[in-house]
Structures are given as structure tokens and as C-alpha cells.
Amino acid sequence: MAYKTIIEPFRVHTVQAIDLPDQDAREAALIRAGFNLFGLHADEVIIDLLTDSGTGAMSSKQWAGMMLGDESYAGSRSFYRFEEVVKDLTGYSEIIPTHQGRAAEKILFTVAVDEGDTVPNNTHFDTTRANVEYRGAAAVDCVCAEGRDPALEAPFKGDVDIEALRATIEERGVEKVPLVMVTVTNNSGGGQPVSMGNLRAVRAVCDEYGIPMFLDACRFAENAWFIKIREEGYADVTPKAIAQEMFSIADGCTVSAKKDGLANIGGFLALNDREWALQARNLLILTEGFPTYGGLAGYDLEAIATGLEEVVDEKYLNYRIRSTAYLADTIHEAGIPTVRPAGGHAVYLDAAALLPHIPAHEYPAQALAVELYRAGGVRGVEIGTVMFGRARDGEPDEPAAMELVRLAIPRRMYTQSHIDYVGEVVIDVASRASEMRGYRIVEQAPWLRHFTARLEPLG
Ligand SMILES: Cc1ncc(COP(=O)(O)O)c(C=O)c1O
């Protein structure tokens, strides 16, 4: 290509209006929401970077495919198309649709995990951790040392620390480790990729102990792209072939189709073990629906099937990863601490480094996220002690490993000028970092408290 600008490989076909509420309206919204950005109405937000999950724009091919949806309760044509696409991509024989990723996790862990067990992962995503813990099991994070150092530039900071994995299995006892999971890309660890070499090393440990290996593969295509551009030997391999190789290393996967499925809803559990699949389908019928729709409409299955085909397109992935890096670089070049290098789907601001005067139990990342909304109507999400810390009776919370604000970029949704605006807001807010104060939680749920907690600013 003669020109350096990587343009969006699509044009806008349908638009939705967005608006910035005035300062008073934003302040009132924050108070009503208990300073929890999950409590805002989406119309109160101008640029919504809360999540990249289910928020992307579908292609006209996906919308057209939805018109072909077969809504038969059993044996729908749309299911068989979905199954064929997922089998071709993953190579797994048992394909179980679910309404989203956490439903696949819930079913897998109900089948495979018992009280007192341990599930290692590079970094458990919040729903994954909660579903493991809900079974009375321990969710242990074994991400490599590089992955715990936000500022460090390294190509595969999502890699599993193989020695930590081995030590976890030895300490807990092999019979107490029913499966090992690897999250690609590692969302809660900064959207960082896992190398093929590391996946093979995890597989070798799993083989040594006879433990099944599963991928949390919500962002498999973004991970495949990072392997292509960063790992030796993959430059000439297509993203789809790389993804197929990643899946071939594991025994199964849970997927939220709301990410690299390019769909607004959906997910699946895919695996080779027929006995586990049988039990999973029985649970599916109880909680999600008949195995050929799994809580989804036939048209959703069509949208996901087309999305899974579109997401491995090289031009899309090049644009996707580059546009995330564009925001990350704007912020980094302004001297604002972020997780480096840029993750696949999001930019992660390092609130612990930006707000050293706010201790973890006063939620620095929450304070920063609230301020981005207050200043510019931009909604990100706290990934820190509100999300992952532990409440302790009468004592400050046990802190999370990192205090991050994630700005997740919905797929094919915002233009470069939207992103330039976000960069301006972040730089403005960061220039007033020393004035920011912490928060305290006044109401919280026993699980996944960040979704519904109410907070109050400290004086
Ligand atoms: C790595 C990872 N795993 C699991 C999930 C859960 O998926 P869902 O929101 O569809 O339940 C997410 C969602 O963001 C995720 O990022």
C-alpha cells in the first residue's frame, strides 16, 4: 500500500445519533447511579467504551443473513449452518450454542468442577472467576511475570507462567484440577495475547498430568492476529489457519460470540469429550433451551456464523488492532501511564500509577472512570479493586493485582474522530489527576459486585 493511513475497511450504512448531556445532567446521572457507570442510561453517554461485548456494528451480510433465520424449535437450518462454521473453525466435534459466554462457562464448570477443586487460568475474566467460585472451587491466576507489569513492553503478556501452573497443580493435587483454562486474548490482564508457543507449553503440562485444556476464546481472532505479526513463523499464515491451530492445541473452548463472533448476542461451548457434552446438553435444556438453539433465535445463529467468517479477514483485523493502538499511542505519547503494548480490544489506563495518592481500597480506577464520564461523557470501566478486590469485614478490601480503567472499543462502530475526542478527554482528565479523590462502597452484592455496587465520593 502506497499510503500509511489504515482506513476503516467498510463504509457507514446506517447511523444512530449520539449526544453529550450538559454538565449538570452528567452530575445528576452520576449521583443517581451511585457513581457506578453501569447504572448510567446509555443515552447519558456520548462515547461508550464500557465494553466491546455485543456492542459492535454488524455487517449488511449479517443483517441479510438474519432474514434467513430458521426459527424451528428443533433441528433449525440456522443451527446446522452455525455448527458447520464453528466445527470448521475450532475442529471440535460437540458444538453447544448458549445465549452468551458466561452461560457456556456455567455449564462447563457445572459438568467439570466440584467443590474444593482448583481451576488455573492466565487471568480469569470476572464471569469466569465468579462461575468457578460459585461451584465452591478456587480460580487461580497464573499469568506470566511480564503480564503483571503494566508498563513493560513485551509481545505476549497474556502467556501462562508455566512454572506457576505446574506449582498450582502440585500444591492443589492433580485430582483437584479438573481443567486448565487459557484466556485468549487475556482481557483482565490488559487484552494481551498468548503465543502459540505458550499454548503448546500449557498443553505439555496438561498432558503430563492428564488434565483437559480449555480456551476462553472470546477474542481468538485478535489473538491470532497478534501471533501473525509477533510470533516467528506465522507472518505468512492466515489468521483463520492460526486460529485453527490455537483451537487444535486445546480440548475445547468457551466463547462469547459478542466479541469476535461480531454478533450482538450469543456464545458457545465447543469440545471433543462426548460424555461432558452429553451432560452439558442436559443442563442446556434445563437452563438455555434445546441443543439446536441454546437460548438463541435462529437469526442470532445466522449472525454469529457470518460474524465468525468475517472476523478472520486480514483487512478487518489489521484495521482493528491498529485502531486500538492508535488511541493507546495518543495517550501514551501524552505521558499517561497505560498497559503496554496496546491490547487487542481496549486501552487500559493505569490508575495506580496516575493516582498514587489514592490507595487501592479507595478505588483509584473507579475515581478515574467517573472523572472521564464527568468531563467528557466517555464511559469506560474499572478493572481494579471494585471488580476484583475482596471485601473484608471491618478492614480495607484486599486489593486487586492492578488498578486499570479499560476503554474497550466496540467493533466497526466509532470513527477516528470519535477516538480523537476520547484521547482529548483522557489527556484533559489526566492533567487534573492530583485533584481526584477516592470513593467508598456503600452497597454491594456478594458476587460480581462491580455491576451493582453503589459508591460515595470521599471528602
Ligand atoms: C475473556 C472473557 N471471558 C468471558 C466473557 C463473558 O462473556 P459474556 O459477557 O458473553 O457472558 C467475557 C466478556 O467480556 C470475556 O471478555
Side-chain angles (χ1 to χ4, degrees):
M1 184 60 124
Y3 302 103
K4 70 176 175 18
T5 305
I6 296 170
I7 62 167
E8 288 85 354
F10 49 81
R11 59 188 173 193
V12 177
H13 182 242
T14 308
V15 297
Q16 283 185 326
I18 50 175
D19 193 17
L20 178 66
D22 65 25
Q23 187 73 53
D24 289 346
R26 298 203 293 279
E27 203 57 51
L30 282 173
I31 293 168
R32 190 201 66 236
F35 297 91
N36 183 338
L37 304 185
F38 282 100
L40 297 176
H41 299 188
D43 282 349
E44 292 165 340
V45 174
I46 187 156
I47 306 283
D48 205 347
L49 307 182
L50 182 73
T51 175
D52 64 324
S53 178
T55 51
M58 291 211 298
S59 65
S60 41
K61 206 168 162 195
Q62 283 176 292
W63 285 112
M66 289 179 78
M67 293 304 290
L68 302 174
D70 173 359
E71 303 307 333
S72 303
Y73 188 97
S76 135
R77 179 174 22 81
S78 301
F79 169 75
Y80 293 110
R81 171 160 182 246
F82 164 86
E83 184 185 51
E84 194 185 313
V85 170
V86 177
K87 273 190 177 168
D88 174 50
L89 178 69
T90 65
Y92 303 133
S93 54
E94 309 290 330
I95 311 300
I96 301 174
T98 58
H99 81 277
Q100 57 185 95
R102 71 197 69 186
E105 292 162 9
K106 174 89 172 20
I107 288 172
L108 174 65
F109 298 148
T110 304
V111 169
V113 177
D114 290 321
E115 201 175 332
D117 283 350
T118 291
V119 178
N121 202 326
N122 40 1
T123 310
H124 286 84
F125 182 66
D126 60 359
T127 60
T128 324
R129 170 172 291 278
N131 272 305
V132 169
E133 291 177 352
Y134 187 69
R135 295 291 297 156
V140 175
D141 292 341
C142 299
V143 73
C144 62
E146 291 94 322
R148 281 180 267 112
D149 181 350
L152 185 84
E153 299 268 356
F156 290 105
K157 291 171 74 177
D159 278 0
V160 173
D161 178 335
I162 298 299
E163 283 322 304
L165 172 63
R166 199 184 287 282
T168 304
I169 297 170
E170 289 289 338
E171 265 165 38
R172 310 280 170 140
V174 60
E175 67 293 344
K176 293 281 180 201
V177 182
L179 63 121
V180 170
M181 289 205 80
V182 184
T183 306
V184 292
T185 60
N186 191 22
N187 183 1
S188 302
Q192 299 293 322
V194 179
S195 66
M196 198 72 86
N198 188 254
L199 289 176
R200 291 203 183 284
V202 172
R203 175 83 239 181
V205 173
C206 288
D207 283 347
E208 190 182 320
Y209 289 96
I211 300 172
M213 172 178 168
F214 274 69
L215 299 180
D216 177 343
C218 300
R219 298 179 181 78
F220 70 92
E222 291 172 8
N223 200 88
W225 184 257
F226 281 120
I227 288 176
K228 182 177 171 70
I229 60 175
R230 292 185 187 166
E231 193 163 350
E232 214 187 312
Y234 288 94
D236 298 327
V237 187
T238 65
K240 182 175 172 186
I242 295 172
Q244 286 169 323
E245 187 176 335
M246 286 162 49
F247 286 116
S248 76
I249 293 171
D251 299 295
C253 64
T254 56
V255 169
S256 167
K258 300 170 74 175
K259 286 83 175 173
D260 278 350
L262 299 180
N264 299 126
I265 196 70
F268 57 88
L269 168 63
L271 68 171
N272 285 329
D273 189 306
R274 292 198 60 194
E275 181 48 36
W276 277 11
L278 189 71
Q279 292 177 42
R281 286 200 179 94
N282 289 338
L283 277 170
L284 189 82
I285 292 173
L286 198 66
T287 57
E288 295 281 296
F290 192 72
T292 60
Y293 74 86
L296 295 169
Y299 56 66
D300 294 323
L301 293 166
E302 291 283 349
I304 297 167
T306 303
L308 290 172
E309 288 171 345
E310 289 180 352
V311 78
V312 287
D313 176 63
E314 295 210 10
K315 290 195 182 73
Y316 162 75
L317 283 169
N318 187 27
Y319 138 79
R320 168 73 176 158
I321 300 302
R322 186 57 215 130
S323 58
T324 305
Y326 173 76
L327 177 60
D329 292 349
T330 304
I331 295 172
H332 178 66
E333 280 156 21
I336 298 163
T338 54
V339 174
R340 299 295 298 168
H345 65 294
V347 176
Y348 293 72
L349 309 177
D350 183 351
L354 186 67
L355 307 171
H357 57 289
I358 305 182
H361 65 271
E362 293 178 5
Y363 316 123
Q366 185 70 19
L368 181 57
V370 166
E371 213 43 47
L372 293 175
Y373 175 70
R374 182 179 275 134
V378 173
R379 173 158 69 170
V381 68
E382 192 258 20
I383 301 199
T385 297
V386 177
M387 187 180 275
F388 283 125
R390 298 283 164 131
R392 294 185 288 202
D393 271 349
E395 277 190 66
D397 290 355
E398 189 182 311
M402 295 197 258
E403 300 294 337
L404 306 175
V405 174
R406 185 188 69 184
L407 304 175
I409 322 257
R411 293 168 179 76
R412 309 189 287 202
M413 171 94 133
Y414 291 122
T415 63
Q416 190 165 342
S417 65
H418 290 123
I419 296 300
D420 285 338
Y421 171 82
V422 173
E424 263 185 75
V425 173
V426 173
I427 291 167
D428 169 48
V429 165
S431 73
R432 294 182 274 106
S434 62
E435 295 161 27
M436 275 181 236
R437 295 290 166 264
Y439 283 78
R440 72 184 185 97
I441 292 183
V442 290
E443 220 178 276
Q444 59 183 300
W447 290 285
L448 299 172
R449 66 176 179 177
H450 55 285
F451 286 127
T452 52
R454 295 186 67 80
L455 298 100
E456 253 175 28
L458 292 166

